[in-house]
Amino acid sequence: MELEIRKVVTICEETFIEGFKKSAKPVRIAAALAVIKNPYAGKYVEDLLPLIKTYSEKLGEILPQKAIAALGISGQEVEAYGKGALVGLDGEIEHGSAIIHTLTFGNPFRSQCDQAETLLPSAEKRGAAGSSLDLAIKHKMDPKIRSHHMTFEVRIPDAPRNDEIVIAAVVTSSGRAHPRIGSLHKELEGVFPS
């Protein structure tokens, strides 16, 4: 199987005002999305290993690298991240899941984010060209830090075609603008936000 990427799209957003209040620093989020050929579109294939071997490691390196570069920061400065797959109408959600739910995708991603430790949160679905995908984001070292729980909506007007998959990596250099609900650590200790 041959690696076939039609295009890579990078989306970067900076939010300066949230909830009618200026943020202490802009909330910056970037996602890199690869539009790839789905060789299994329109048919059932039992063994997905060739798909994994062709795409997982390569995209686990390329996409976080492009997202981090779009923010203009180092991997050390990434605070939170996530991943996703949007499968075209003739594919199975399992095809996208096979690519992103592997150590060959996740380990290069975490490595670029200064040896991050948490599992990458994910979003997977099937949709037509132009469908949106809400990428889940969590803190790279501690999933109980709620200030970094957020989503980032992405879409590509002409992708995925029926025989394509969009694979996404998202990173951010901070949490939400004005977090006020406290961490899960405190709630587990019986301390609730006032």
Side-chain angles (χ1 to χ4, degrees):
M1 185 178 299
E2 187 178 330
L3 180 77
E4 190 175 332
I5 300 175
R6 180 162 65 89
K7 66 174 162 179
V8 175
V9 175
T10 306
I11 302 165
C12 188
E13 175 181 284
E14 292 183 275
T15 301
F16 301 97
I17 298 171
E18 176 67 29
F20 308 99
K21 180 180 176 184
K22 188 174 181 179
S23 180
K25 68 177 188 173
V27 175
R28 302 179 69 235
I29 303 172
L33 302 88
V35 180
I36 64 170
K37 181 77 169 174
N38 182 355
Y40 300 149
K43 59 187 170 188
Y44 180 83
V45 175
E46 185 66 31
D47 182 9
L48 301 180
L49 192 56
L51 183 69
I52 293 166
K53 285 184 173 182
T54 301
Y55 288 112
S56 289
E57 185 174 5
K58 191 72 172 169
L59 295 179
E61 292 171 2
I62 293 171
L63 295 178
Q65 185 178 56
K66 288 188 175 292
I68 292 166
L71 287 183
I73 62 173
S74 71
Q76 212 171 13
E77 296 169 285
V78 170
E79 291 188 13
Y81 55 21
K83 62 186 176 183
L86 177 61
V87 180
L89 296 177
D90 287 343
E92 294 179 59
I93 293 171
E94 189 72 2
H95 299 157
S97 295
I99 295 169
I100 65 172
H101 291 302
T102 63
L103 292 177
T104 55
F105 182 90
N107 284 347
F109 196 154
R110 280 186 286 276
S111 178
Q112 289 183 57
C113 297
D114 195 32
Q115 304 302 320
E117 295 178 2
T118 61
L119 291 175
L120 288 147
S122 66
E124 302 109 282
K125 73 177 194 179
R126 182 175 27 250
S131 294
S132 66
L133 184 63
D134 290 340
L135 298 171
I137 301 169
K138 286 193 177 185
H139 196 277
K140 72 177 186 181
M141 299 304 276
D142 186 348
K144 293 179 180 156
I145 297 177
R146 289 184 176 141
S147 58
H148 290 64
H149 290 196
M150 47 187 160
T151 57
F152 187 56
E153 182 181 1
V154 295
R155 76 178 71 232
I156 301 173
D158 70 340
R161 294 175 181 160
N162 289 349
D163 64 346
E164 292 179 330
I165 305 171
V166 175
I167 301 294
V170 62
V171 296
T172 179
S173 59
S174 70
R176 297 185 308 276
H178 313 297
R180 303 185 295 283
I181 60 170
S183 79
L184 181 55
H185 293 288
K186 293 209 180 267
E187 190 171 329
L188 291 171
E189 294 167 7
V191 179
F192 296 93
S194 53

